[in-house]
Amino acid sequence: MGKLGFGLMRLPQLNADDPKSIDREQVCRMADRFLERGFTYFDTAYMYHDHESERAVKDVITKRYPRDSYTLATKLPLFQLEKAEDMERIFNEQLEKTGEEYFDYYLLHALGGDRYESVQQMGCFDFIAQKKAEGKVRHIGFSFHDKAEVLDRILNDHPEVEFVQLQLNYLDWESKDVQSRKCYETAVKHGKKVVVMEPVKGGTLAKLPAKAEELLRNVHPDWSNASWAIRFAASLENVMIVLSGMSSMEQMEDNSGYMQDMEPLTEEEKQLLLHDVVDIIHEAAKIPCTACRYCVEGCPMNIAIPDYFALYNAEQEDKGDPAHKERYAELSKEHGKASDCVECGQCEGVCPQHLPVTEWLKKTAKIFER
């Protein structure tokens, strides 16, 4: 099916401030090109685009293509489960929203040590195994955001899972928090195939500092920054799929173009990324937010956390641009300000990047609320 997967998490929108306003017409064209070039793997989740992504699947894919022409993955939202009965209700809702009779890949969403015990007690692994036995799921796995030792424990406890979805990119390869390399090696040790998420780290590796971009262009003038990142992940032997959350037809053309006949990175090219480029990025000292928006839904003060962090990063690049403060003022009319944070910790509990969100909000407030 080709190693490129279409992540339905950052789809183009008709209204930038409304995640539900998916530009279905453009997504249809993107899906057409994706399938036309030989790729089949679509990845969505219950909460993506404020619970609208799975509905978009029905309009963009299910209604327009025969079932054997694509593969579909979605996820059980562990952080929205209150009782065991919720699993069946949500699963049936997902089938109805997508218009499907079964899912090719079904994952426990965002599993980590902090919720592993509750997942065990609620019987989540038994639930997805039962769905596989019923024929409503073809393959079972989980997406993971934690340390390698936790992943090792889970895979020892549950050898029945067939694959794991990991955050893997060259910036996080040796990260103490994300541990991309160690988690990948743990999956390999257990004989599990890997689906890669965040290969471009929420767009961070598509917009590199000028110095880093120059280094890469000197080697391959015609390669985009994003293509370097996706090639890095796709070059790993045990990687089954590399997901890209493509937000425009331009990104689809680029990614599906070079991934049709993907040229793996040489060892020298890998080292260029892992050392030279990573060092330059770390010097820039931005907030490493990937805009997954997991933090937004449960925020009691309705703070537009990822949007504010994007403005903070933009301000670091182009200090004093009045457009940044104007945008902040516009957003804060409908959302809580950064200074409204009550430090409840909900955001930090669900952040896949393990960011000290409350501290970054304080720094954001100092810049935009003076």
Side-chain angles (χ1 to χ4, degrees):
M1 58 184 169
K3 272 195 172 184
L4 181 66
F6 191 174
L8 307 178
M9 178 184 181
R10 298 184 176 94
L11 297 172
Q13 297 173 194
L14 297 172
N15 178 351
D17 295 329
D18 181 9
K20 287 181 177 289
S21 67
I22 296 170
D23 184 348
R24 281 169 164 77
E25 184 177 335
Q26 184 176 174
V27 179
C28 282
R29 294 197 300 272
M30 293 168 70
D32 292 345
R33 182 53 55 89
F34 183 73
L35 290 163
E36 187 180 293
R37 287 184 162 171
F39 304 103
T40 68
Y41 194 100
F42 294 87
D43 173 88
T44 185
Y46 187 69
M47 63 181 291
Y48 289 174
H49 278 275
D50 199 6
H51 302 267
E52 190 65 19
S53 179
E54 289 177 329
R55 289 192 178 91
V57 166
K58 188 174 185 177
D59 296 331
V60 172
I61 306 165
T62 309
K63 289 181 178 179
R64 301 174 63 242
Y65 284 95
R67 187 62 181 87
D68 61 356
S69 66
Y70 61 89
T71 50
L72 180 62
T74 193
K75 310 173 188 76
L76 183 68
L78 303 179
F79 31 80
Q80 294 189 345
L81 300 178
E82 296 181 2
K83 53 186 183 302
E85 291 76 13
D86 290 339
M87 294 187 286
E88 186 72 31
R89 173 183 59 79
I90 289 174
F91 185 83
N92 290 333
E93 182 183 342
Q94 291 176 302
L95 289 175
E96 189 277 327
K97 285 166 69 177
T98 57
E100 300 288 357
E101 294 182 357
Y102 69 91
F103 298 118
D104 297 283
Y105 297 86
Y106 198 67
L107 300 83
L108 301 181
H109 196 177
L111 185 58
D114 58 339
R115 57 174 62 100
Y116 182 50
E117 294 307 321
S118 62
V119 163
Q120 290 280 73
Q121 291 171 11
M122 204 171 287
C124 296
F125 282 94
D126 292 338
F127 177 79
I128 60 174
Q130 179 59 37
K131 289 303 169 190
K132 181 181 177 182
E134 293 172 3
K136 294 182 178 180
V137 169
R138 297 290 189 263
H139 305 283
I140 57 174
F142 58 88
S143 63
F144 181 78
H145 294 284
D146 210 326
K147 303 292 193 294
E149 62 183 39
V150 179
L151 178 60
D152 189 52
R153 175 188 169 198
I154 295 173
L155 290 176
N156 275 324
D157 291 347
H158 294 283
E160 72 274 16
V161 300
E162 299 163 82
F163 67 100
V164 292
Q165 186 164 306
L166 302 175
Q167 177 168 320
L168 194 158
N169 56 70
Y170 66 81
L171 185 60
D172 291 324
W173 191 242
E174 297 296 350
S175 164
K176 293 180 181 179
D177 291 323
V178 180
Q179 296 188 349
S180 285
R181 177 182 59 80
K182 289 183 178 180
C183 287
Y184 172 76
E185 290 172 352
T186 299
V188 172
K189 182 182 78 171
H190 286 271
K192 308 302 179 185
K193 286 294 183 180
V194 173
V195 174
V196 172
M197 56 183 163
E198 301 293 357
V200 193
K201 201 168 173 67
T204 298
L205 303 182
K207 300 174 182 177
L208 297 174
K211 185 178 176 182
E213 191 166 311
E214 184 181 357
L215 280 178
L216 299 183
R217 293 208 181 282
N218 285 339
V219 179
H220 289 289
D222 56 336
W223 285 13
S224 66
N225 295 336
S227 77
W228 276 90
I230 291 175
R231 280 182 170 97
F232 175 83
S235 296
L236 295 166
E237 185 178 354
N238 264 53
V239 166
M240 176 177 76
I241 289 288
V242 180
L243 297 173
S244 178
M246 293 171 275
S247 305
S248 68
M249 193 65 190
E250 181 183 9
Q251 293 175 5
M252 174 60 73
E253 291 285 1
D254 181 36
N255 289 342
S256 62
Y258 66 78
M259 283 295 285
Q260 276 186 295
D261 189 18
M262 201 274 295
E263 187 178 334
L265 297 184
T266 66
E267 191 58 37
E268 292 76 14
E269 289 166 345
K270 290 178 185 176
Q271 294 308 312
L272 177 66
L273 293 175
L274 291 171
H275 297 289
D276 302 65
V277 174
V278 166
D279 287 347
I280 293 169
I281 294 172
H282 284 156
E283 287 172 7
K286 293 183 181 180
I287 305 175
C289 171
T290 63
C292 69
R293 309 194 75 83
Y294 293 178
C295 57
V296 174
E297 188 166 335
C299 177
M301 306 308 292
N302 190 31
I303 300 172
I305 299 169
D307 303 283
Y308 291 164
F309 286 176
L311 288 172
Y312 179 98
N313 288 341
E315 178 68 13
Q316 303 313 302
E317 286 185 9
D318 191 9
K319 291 185 183 295
D321 186 337
H324 302 151
K325 285 193 174 182
E326 290 171 9
R327 179 60 178 155
Y328 182 86
E330 184 181 333
L331 282 167
S332 61
K333 289 177 182 177
E334 296 184 5
H335 301 274
K337 296 180 180 179
S339 60
D340 291 337
C341 174
V342 294
E343 301 188 39
C344 66
Q346 182 277 337
C347 53
E348 295 179 357
V350 298
C351 177
Q353 309 308 316
H354 310 286
L355 298 179
V357 178
T358 55
E359 292 305 311
W360 281 116
L361 283 173
K362 290 175 185 177
K363 293 177 182 179
T364 301
K366 285 183 180 179
I367 291 177
F368 295 111
E369 297 180 29
R370 283 183 298 195

